[in-house]
Structures are given as structure tokens and as C-alpha cells.
Amino acid sequence: MKLADIFKFYIESKQYIVTAQTLRTNIGFFSNHIDPLFGSRDIGTLQYIEYQKFANSLLSRGLAPKTVKNIFLVLSGVYRFAVKNNWYHTTAPIDYVDFPKFDNRRYFTIDVNLQKSYIRAILNYDEPIYKDIFLFLLHGRRLNEVLDLKWEFVDLNEKILYLPAKQNKSKKNLSFMLTDRLIEVLKYYRLQAYIKQGTPFISGYVFVNPNTNNRFYDIRKAWQRLLNRAALPKIRIHDIRHLVATYSINELELPIEKVSHALGHSDIKVTQGYINPKPQNAKQVIDCIFDSV
């Protein structure tokens, strides 16, 4: 069978298992990188050397090692799917591909005073709807978790936000206590939904684009307006999440276990990647040893 045909069946099988964002990412990786070279090939004819050259080519074009590895994870999924369906019967050649070692830590090296400026800019932003989406992001949520959020996962009586496994990257059912700021925001949107739907049993997306009456898909222009208004250097929307992690761990020195839960990480090791070791730490440790004796 052709690799592209197997990928089509593979994506269909994942439709109700992984998040919509994961599906979009996998389809993008396959369409942009894999399909042009290998899509029309029979899966049984593809060899290790072709995949190694493919990996080397992606790296030479400037793609980050982590991105290249993620592209090959899509291929791994396709091969596993083919094996399950008896369309492939030997060791996958991609298992032999070598990748360069890379540092997977999340470096967010913005000065702490500038970090505070970004937080203040979000808290003080006054553009309707967008200000509340950015506030949600400042709670450690991923963009698609916020844009995909529906009323069925918000319990304002118990002040709890639920993120089902299918709608978050950790693939686990998560729950978070809502802050007072978010409760006030959600009460406002619940009232608007009640007026519009004419029933207390409201449904649908929490944040609805007033221009399309549907989900928001791209808020980058609004984010750029916020940065421009506050005269702040450009960072990505996803960097709000990195900002929350970095500031909480390194400046506020909050327990990493709590920060990990707030971010919804599946493994605390992911959160540990945000730790920025301070040079004075070594001195403090040794001083404590000397002082103790």
C-alpha cells in the first residue's frame, strides 16, 4: 500500500482519540514534508537510507532537531498502524534513523522586569473578548484549550474547569480551580449565552467570535495589538505559557509540583525544563554545609 493511503486511514482512526490540534499538526507535517517525497511510494519499498537522508535534509534546511523528530513520530504512527492491519510485516526502517542530541529545556530568558510588564499588559488590556482569552492563557492554559472550551466543561457552582483527555496535550482528564478573575469573566459570558440561547442549559463554545458566531481560530493580530499598545517586544502567544512557568518557578520560587499541575503537564520532568539554575545556588549549598559544622 502507498504511504499516503495508509496515512489517510491512520488519521481517520485518530479522529476521536487525539485533540484537533494534534490532528492538524500531524496532517501539516505529512502534507508539507513527508507526502512530497514518499506519499506515492509503496510502504514496503522505503529503505532506511532514504529516511536518514530525509532527516539530514530537514536539518540542513534549518528545522530544529525536535521538529524533525516530531515529523518522524508521525511516520512511526503510520508504521505502527500498518503493522496492526497486517500491511507491513518487518522492522520499520525509521527505527534506525539517527538524530542529533538536543537540549529540550524551555529557555525563556526575558528579564524579570520585562516578564512582569507582559503580565501587567495582559491584566490591563481592554479589548473585549480578546482580553479575556489572554487572561485565560495567563492561567497556564494552551491556546487551543481555551478556544475549544465549551460550557459543558465549566462548573461555576463548584468553581472548577475540566479539561477532558481528548482536549489536552497530557491525554489525561484534568481539573483546575478557577480564580476569582476567571469566575467573573465566565459569569459574564454565561449571561450572554443565556440571553442568546434563551435557556439556562447553555451549550457551545465559551468564547464565540462575534463576526462568525463560531469558534475563534486566529487571534495573532489581537495579540500584536496588545504588544504594540504596551510597547513590548514581540513574543508568540504560546510564550505566555512559558512566561507563566518561568516566572512562577524562577522568580516566585513556587513548588514545582504545583506549577506542573497548573500547566497540566503529564510529567513533572517537563516542568523541570523551565528551571534556570542560578550561579549563586552552588555557593549557597556549600555555605550551608560549612555553617552546619
Side-chain angles (χ1 to χ4, degrees):
M1 293 185 66
K2 292 180 180 179
L3 195 68
D5 293 333
I6 298 175
F7 177 76
K8 179 182 177 182
F9 290 124
Y10 167 71
I11 284 295
E12 289 176 354
S13 74
K14 294 293 183 181
Q15 190 172 3
Y16 299 103
I17 299 173
V18 301
T19 65
Q21 178 59 34
T22 298
L23 280 178
R24 287 192 289 267
T25 300
N26 288 352
I27 291 171
F29 280 154
F30 190 86
S31 300
N32 296 328
H33 302 289
I34 301 169
D35 192 34
L37 285 176
F38 307 122
S40 62
R41 295 277 301 277
D42 186 299
I43 191 171
T45 66
L46 290 160
Q47 303 295 316
Y48 151 74
I49 189 61
E50 295 178 273
Y51 283 129
Q52 185 65 66
K53 287 181 177 180
F54 175 50
N56 295 345
S57 172
L58 294 174
L59 292 166
S60 69
R61 284 157 46 191
L63 270 69
K66 187 175 187 300
T67 301
V68 175
K69 200 160 187 178
N70 286 339
I71 292 171
F72 272 80
L73 284 176
V74 175
L75 277 168
S76 294
V78 173
Y79 271 92
R80 287 196 301 273
F81 184 77
V83 169
K84 290 177 182 178
N85 286 279
N86 290 318
W87 299 334
Y88 193 80
H89 304 281
T90 185
T91 304
I94 57 171
D95 291 346
Y96 299 108
V97 174
D98 293 317
F99 302 96
K101 294 185 181 298
F102 56 91
D103 186 353
N104 200 30
R105 288 187 60 218
R106 275 74 170 167
Y107 289 100
F108 195 79
T109 56
I110 294 175
D111 173 81
V112 65
N113 290 320
L114 191 54
Q115 292 180 35
K116 293 179 181 179
S117 296
Y118 284 109
I119 296 172
R120 280 193 292 266
I122 294 172
L123 293 177
N124 295 326
Y125 194 48
D126 59 0
E127 191 170 331
I129 298 183
Y130 294 111
K131 66 175 182 179
D132 300 320
I133 292 175
F134 296 143
L135 175 65
F136 233 117
L137 297 178
L138 198 55
H139 285 69
R141 303 279 58 79
R142 297 178 177 87
L143 179 59
N144 281 291
E145 291 173 354
V146 177
L147 300 186
D148 286 333
L149 182 62
K150 293 186 176 181
W151 285 111
E152 61 191 282
F153 302 119
V154 177
D155 187 338
L156 286 180
N157 292 325
E158 296 296 329
K159 302 179 181 180
I160 294 289
L161 167 70
Y162 298 98
L163 288 180
K166 186 180 181 297
Q167 292 186 218
N168 72 78
K169 197 173 180 180
S170 71
K171 306 297 188 294
K172 298 178 180 178
N173 291 323
L174 303 175
S175 60
F176 305 94
M177 181 72 72
L178 294 166
T179 64
D180 292 340
R181 285 178 182 266
L182 276 185
I183 290 172
E184 290 305 310
V185 165
L186 291 168
K187 282 182 178 179
Y188 169 80
Y189 287 104
R190 182 175 65 175
L191 177 60
Q192 299 304 308
Y194 168 73
I195 295 173
K196 187 174 182 179
Q197 298 180 23
T199 173
F201 304 105
I202 58 175
S203 60
Y205 293 109
V206 172
F207 297 107
V208 178
N209 188 328
N211 298 319
T212 64
N213 288 320
N214 206 336
R215 177 191 187 276
F216 280 93
Y217 283 97
D218 192 345
I219 62 171
R220 285 176 295 181
K221 290 183 179 179
W223 176 241
Q224 189 59 53
R225 289 196 296 273
L226 181 149
L227 296 177
N228 292 342
R229 190 174 303 178
L232 290 170
K234 183 177 180 179
I235 61 172
R236 304 169 305 161
I237 293 178
H238 188 68
D239 286 331
I240 299 174
R241 184 172 166 84
H242 297 325
L243 169 64
V244 171
T246 302
Y247 187 75
S248 300
I249 293 172
N250 299 292
E251 182 62 22
L252 301 181
E253 298 183 346
L254 295 175
I256 196 167
E257 294 84 0
K258 291 186 176 181
V259 177
S260 183
H261 174 74
L263 294 171
H265 284 157
S266 58
D267 192 326
I268 199 171
K269 292 179 181 178
V270 178
T271 320
Q272 290 171 338
Y274 287 102
I275 298 174
N276 293 332
K278 300 177 182 178
Q280 62 267 33
N281 286 351
K283 178 179 181 300
Q284 291 172 355
V285 170
I286 304 306
D287 282 345
C288 285
I289 294 174
F290 289 165
D291 291 342
S292 72
V293 295

